[in-house]
């Protein structure tokens, strides 16, 4: 369970965020605050994993408040202004959401947190055909870029198409036994059955090795050897 708080002096904006949070099974709202001092008290009395923090608040703005904390929870800034985006990312905020915040944009922001919340069963969540699909990483064989979409092929030979970019998944998957060996393909090294310098076999699937992905291919070979996958 991911404990969340909302820090926002605008009641309508806070209510909208509360509604978004209520739609996520893994999220629990443990408190709301209208200013930095109330937020500080919440952080002292509650275990907070994720803070939705407005920037323009009375007395102390969200940027200065987060900067003042010695122990910072994961933070998503919420604001009607673009002015502070750079400062937000310098403070390693998870995201910077512009109001009014749609559920689709909200979900995209928190998806990476959801993805890392269950270490026993890592997964990704992709929107496919109007549904949000939870796909176990251990069952993904490979991911293929298809223009503005990606195709995810599972061990069951079922495939899912999603409006996503392959680069959006690469960073999250590289530490999970996946490697990008071509500009259009990320593979799960655990499904490797054979390989040479030109292609990799994942059962009946043959994936080409891109010329510009030599370093990634060397990482793949090292992973296969270390884990004795062949």
């Amino acid at each position: 369970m991911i404990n969340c708080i909302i820090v926002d002096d605008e009641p309508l904006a806070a209510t909208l965020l509360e509604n978004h949070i209520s739609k996520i099974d893994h999220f629990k709202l443990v408190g709301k605050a209208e200013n930095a001092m109330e937020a500080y008290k919440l952080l002292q009395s509650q275990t907070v994993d994720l803070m939705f923090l407005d920037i323009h608040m009375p007395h102390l703005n969200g940027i200065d408040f987060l900067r003042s904390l010695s122990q910072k929870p994961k933070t998503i800034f919420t604001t009607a202004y673009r002015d502070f985006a750079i400062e937000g990312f310098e403070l390693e905020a998870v995201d910077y959401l512009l109001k009014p915040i749609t559920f689709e944009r909200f979900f995209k922001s928190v998806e990476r947190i959801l993805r890392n919340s269950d270490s026993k069963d890592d997964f990704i969540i992709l929107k496919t055909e109007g549904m949000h699909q939870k796909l176990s990483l251990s069952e993904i064989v490979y991911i293929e870029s298809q223009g503005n979409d990606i195709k995810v092929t599972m061990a069951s030979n079922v495939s899912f198409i999603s409006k996503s970019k392959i680069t959006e998944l690469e960073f999250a998957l590289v530490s999970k036994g996946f490697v990008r060996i071509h500009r259009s393909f990320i593979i799960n090294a655990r499904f490797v059955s054979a390989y040479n310098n030109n292609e990799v076999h994942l059962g009946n699937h043959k994936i080409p090795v891109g010329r510009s992905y030599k370093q990634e291919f060397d990482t793949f070979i090292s992973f296969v050897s270390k884990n004795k996958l062949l």
Side-chain angles (χ1 to χ4, degrees):
M1 188 65 66
I2 297 173
N3 290 340
C4 308
I5 63 170
I6 297 170
V7 185
D8 199 318
D9 64 328
E10 299 177 40
L12 290 178
T15 298
L16 179 62
L17 274 174
E18 185 174 0
N19 288 337
H20 289 343
I21 290 170
S22 69
K23 297 176 183 177
I24 307 295
D25 289 340
H26 289 70
F27 279 11
K28 179 182 180 181
L29 183 64
V30 296
K32 294 194 294 183
E34 294 184 359
N35 56 58
M37 296 312 298
E38 290 181 6
Y40 183 77
K41 291 178 181 178
L42 277 177
L43 291 173
Q44 296 301 307
S45 62
Q46 299 279 355
T47 298
V48 177
D49 304 304
L50 177 61
M51 176 167 61
F52 293 91
L53 179 61
D54 187 24
I55 291 180
H56 286 270
M57 295 186 299
H59 310 305
L60 185 66
N61 70 45
I63 293 285
D64 291 337
F65 172 60
L66 185 61
R67 188 178 285 124
S68 72
L69 297 177
S70 57
Q71 294 185 332
K72 300 175 176 60
K74 288 183 174 64
T75 301
I76 295 177
F77 281 113
T78 62
T79 180
Y81 306 92
R82 299 177 181 273
D83 307 25
F84 295 95
I86 294 177
E87 289 93 334
F89 288 118
E90 285 177 347
L91 288 168
E92 299 182 350
V94 174
D95 209 343
Y96 187 96
L97 300 181
L98 290 175
K99 299 175 181 179
I101 302 167
T102 65
F103 180 73
E104 183 176 7
R105 182 64 182 88
F106 170 86
F107 186 83
K108 184 176 182 180
S109 180
V110 302
E111 189 270 336
R112 75 192 73 173
I113 298 173
L114 287 170
R115 189 169 59 227
N116 295 326
S117 65
D118 190 344
S119 60
K120 294 181 180 179
D121 184 21
D122 286 335
F123 60 89
I124 58 174
I125 298 176
L126 296 178
K127 186 176 181 180
T128 64
E129 299 180 352
M131 297 290 291
H132 289 96
Q133 297 282 350
K134 178 180 176 181
L135 305 180
S136 174
L137 297 188
S138 63
E139 295 297 314
I140 296 175
V141 181
Y142 69 92
I143 300 169
E144 179 182 0
S145 175
Q146 296 184 336
N148 292 323
D149 299 336
I150 59 169
K151 176 183 177 182
V152 181
T153 298
M154 309 297 290
S156 61
N157 284 325
V158 174
S159 295
F160 297 93
I161 304 294
S162 176
K163 287 284 183 185
S164 303
K165 297 288 187 181
I166 197 168
T167 51
E168 295 175 357
L169 295 178
E170 182 179 7
F171 180 77
L173 296 178
V174 70
S175 63
K176 306 292 185 180
F178 288 76
V179 61
R180 191 173 183 178
I181 61 170
H182 188 279
R183 63 185 179 87
S184 297
F185 291 97
I186 295 175
I187 66 168
N188 186 342
R190 296 176 182 85
F191 284 96
V192 171
S193 55
Y195 66 89
N196 58 32
N197 289 330
N198 300 312
E199 65 181 17
V200 175
H201 293 190
L202 309 168
N204 295 326
H205 306 286
K206 297 180 180 180
I207 309 299
V209 176
R211 292 182 180 179
S212 60
Y213 284 82
K214 173 63 177 173
Q215 182 175 351
E216 288 83 353
F217 186 62
D218 288 344
T219 300
F220 152 73
I221 292 175
S222 175
F223 181 87
V224 169
S225 301
K226 180 179 179 180
N227 292 277
K228 300 179 180 179
L229 297 180
L230 283 177

